[in-house]
Amino acid sequence: MAIALRCFHHLPSLLYRSSFAMPRGLLRAPAACPALLLDGCRQPVHQLLLTRQLATKKAKGKGQSQAKVNISAALVEDIISLEETSEDMQAVVEALKEDFSRNLSVRTSPGVLDHIIVVTKDGKFPLNQLGQISQKSPQLIVVNMTSFPESTAAAAKAIRESGMNLNPEVDGTLIRVPIPKVTREHRESLAKLAKQSTNKSKEALRKVRSRSVNQVKKFKNKVSEDTIWLLEKQIQQMADSATAEMDRLLAAKTKELLG
């Protein structure tokens, strides 16, 4: 009993140092507190710290900038994996980068046709698995469909509908793809496609955010409202950061396309 009282005697000082201790991990036990006893106190202490953070943020007036929420993932791992949420959001950003690099270039090269998806009676396949793609001249790309002649028409359709402003011409099992001149109209068309791709990525990002928030809300009857609020806030901050990165990518790509 005396040991327990000595442990709780140190609680105010632990809370006082919480703002410095939280980013570095769990609080250290004072010399007078056995580790086993402190383990039983850790969760209530951290809950108090979360509540204190929430109260500080709510106390700020409207229009004032709020400090970022930064909850230790280890404290909420039974509710949600913040690391997985972050990875899922970053995957959406990386997919947008790849789309920009592969499909939205002023200069058309054979590689941009590789991953065009062709719908056939046997399923969906990348174009480079069905035909041999080569560049015959700076103004012409040829797709040889000799290995899968029955998919020639489907391949030509996929190229035409790829959104890259390409107009393929079929000659037997050969698909000739004239490379359009780099006109101002073509540049503006690509810039519009970049905007559309970004909007689709933002929609995918919102789905990740909504899925994560819904996962957190499943625990609203098991943990405090403060914890739920802080988790939702952190998830939103992660989504805002990914959105800002997408906007930067779009601005850079638009500048590259329009010259």
Side-chain angles (χ1 to χ4, degrees), residues 79-134:
I79 302 175
I80 189 172
S81 172
L82 292 175
E83 183 178 351
E84 288 185 7
T85 298
S86 178
E87 290 175 352
D88 289 345
M89 290 184 178
Q90 194 57 38
V92 176
V93 176
E94 292 301 321
L96 180 63
K97 285 182 183 179
E98 185 176 355
D99 182 46
F100 279 179
S101 175
R102 179 184 297 167
N103 301 323
L104 297 175
S105 175
V106 174
R107 301 293 179 184
T108 304
S109 63
V112 302
L113 303 184
D114 285 352
H115 300 283
I116 290 178
I117 300 300
V118 181
V119 180
T120 72
K121 63 180 181 179
D122 296 319
K124 299 179 179 180
F125 302 93
L127 180 60
N128 62 355
Q129 291 186 10
L130 300 176
Q132 182 179 359
I133 306 171
S134 59

Side-chain angles (χ1 to χ4, degrees), residues 5-243:
L5 290 174
R6 285 201 300 272
C7 183
F8 281 102
H9 176 72
H10 289 280
L11 186 56
S13 62
L14 287 174
L15 291 174
Y16 177 78
R17 298 195 302 270
S18 63
S19 59
F20 302 99
M22 281 295 283
R24 295 190 291 270
L26 296 175
L27 300 172
R28 293 184 178 179
C33 295
L36 183 61
L37 181 58
L38 185 62
D39 285 341
C41 302
R42 274 195 177 113
Q43 192 59 38
V45 168
H46 282 298
Q47 186 58 55
L48 285 170
L49 299 182
L50 290 175
T51 304
R52 171 176 288 191
Q53 291 177 11
L54 177 61
T56 301
K57 297 178 194 311
K58 286 183 176 180
K60 292 187 176 182
K62 292 182 178 180
Q64 295 181 357
S65 60
Q66 294 186 359
K68 287 187 176 181
V69 177
N70 188 17
I71 304 174
S72 171
L75 295 177
V76 295
E77 60 183 3
D78 291 337
I79 302 175
I80 189 172
S81 172
L82 292 175
E83 183 178 351
E84 288 185 7
T85 298
S86 178
E87 290 175 352
D88 289 345
M89 290 184 178
Q90 194 57 38
V92 176
V93 176
E94 292 301 321
L96 180 63
K97 285 182 183 179
E98 185 176 355
D99 182 46
F100 279 179
S101 175
R102 179 184 297 167
N103 301 323
L104 297 175
S105 175
V106 174
R107 301 293 179 184
T108 304
S109 63
V112 302
L113 303 184
D114 285 352
H115 300 283
I116 290 178
I117 300 300
V118 181
V119 180
T120 72
K121 63 180 181 179
D122 296 319
K124 299 179 179 180
F125 302 93
L127 180 60
N128 62 355
Q129 291 186 10
L130 300 176
Q132 182 179 359
I133 306 171
S134 59
Q135 187 158 1
K136 295 300 183 182
S137 73
Q139 292 78 37
L140 181 67
I141 295 176
V142 173
V143 183
N144 189 332
M145 298 293 295
T146 302
S147 299
F148 297 92
E150 68 280 4
S151 299
T152 301
K157 179 182 178 182
I159 295 171
R160 188 175 298 109
E161 297 177 353
S162 65
M164 289 187 284
N165 193 33
L166 300 175
N167 188 24
E169 302 168 355
V170 178
D171 181 12
T173 57
L174 293 180
I175 303 175
R176 293 185 171 87
V177 186
I179 299 175
K181 293 181 179 180
V182 184
T183 62
R184 185 67 183 179
E185 181 180 1
H186 179 51
R187 289 176 179 271
E188 291 175 351
S189 176
L190 290 176
K192 288 180 180 178
L193 288 175
K195 178 66 174 177
Q196 292 173 6
S197 295
T198 303
N199 288 338
K200 289 181 181 179
S201 295
K202 287 182 178 180
E203 178 61 30
L205 181 67
R206 284 192 288 270
K207 289 181 180 179
V208 174
R209 180 190 61 78
S210 296
R211 184 171 67 245
S212 299
V213 169
N214 289 337
Q215 173 65 22
V216 169
K217 287 182 176 179
K218 291 179 181 179
F219 290 81
K220 64 181 180 180
N221 295 326
K222 299 180 181 179
V223 298
S224 72
E225 292 182 4
D226 292 351
T227 302
I228 297 296
W229 187 91
L230 285 169
L231 279 171
E232 291 180 357
K233 187 70 174 178
Q234 180 151 338
I235 292 169
Q236 183 60 54
Q237 286 176 178
M238 293 161 65
D240 290 343
S241 177
T243 299

